[in-house]
């Protein structure tokens, strides 16, 4: 059984910073991709940032230059450092992983439970 636990959200003033963390645990053979998505009330869930197991990254245009995604492969952990936060960054942030539980298994999607980020003065 695989579990993703994300954390680090909270209330921050505009211009502030937060660092989100997500740990994947359980029976894991290989984690191919880790990413962060966000979903505001009444809106679809959108990609924020993505990192594969070679360190290649992709960012949404709305966060480029303000956010940095990184991962610790040995710990199956992904981080999202968010700086210069804006009110429009307010959302629930979800960790995502595409991983294999055995060498013969197909890679499957897993999601964290979400962590609330609120940017407000």
């Amino acid at each position: 059984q695989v579990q993703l636990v994300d954390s680090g959200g909270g209330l921050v003033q505009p211009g502030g910073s937060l660092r989100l963390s997500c740990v994947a645990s359980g029976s894991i053979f290989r984690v191919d991709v880790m990413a962060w998505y966000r979903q505001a009330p009444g809106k679809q869930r959108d990609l924020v940032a993505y990192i594969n197991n070679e360190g290649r990254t992709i960012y949404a245009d709305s966060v480029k230059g303000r956010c940095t995604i990184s991962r610790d492969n040995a710990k199956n952990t992904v981080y999202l450092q968010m700086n210069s936060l804006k009110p429009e960054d307010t959302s629930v942030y979800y960790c995502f992983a595409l991983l294999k539980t055995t060498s013969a298994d197909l890679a499957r999607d897993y999601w964290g439970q979400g962590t609330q980020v609120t940017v407000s003065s």
Side-chain angles (χ1 to χ4, degrees), residues 80-101:
L80 185 68
Q81 177 67 44
M82 302 189 294
N83 301 323
S84 302
L85 283 162
K86 305 175 182 180
E88 51 263 44
D89 293 317
T90 296
S91 282
V92 178
Y93 284 70
Y94 296 90
C95 175
F96 166 87
L98 178 67
L99 61 86
K100 300 178 67 169
T101 55

Side-chain angles (χ1 to χ4, degrees), residues 3 7 10 33 38 40 60 63 100 114 116-118:
Q3 186 177 19
S7 61
V33 170
R38 66 185 181 187
V63 304
K100 300 178 67 169
Q116 176 71 46
V117 171
T118 302

Side-chain angles (χ1 to χ4, degrees), residues 5-8 18-23 34-36 48-51 57 59 67-82 95-96:
V5 178
D6 39 33
S7 61
L18 281 176
R19 188 190 193 213
L20 307 184
S21 300
C22 172
V23 179
M34 299 193 86
W36 289 95
V48 177
Y50 151 116
I51 184 167
T57 58
Y59 294 93
C67 293
T68 302
I69 189 170
S70 60
R71 64 188 279 182
D72 183 333
N73 291 331
K75 297 180 180 179
N76 290 329
T77 300
V78 64
Y79 306 97
L80 185 68
Q81 177 67 44
M82 302 189 294
C95 175
F96 166 87

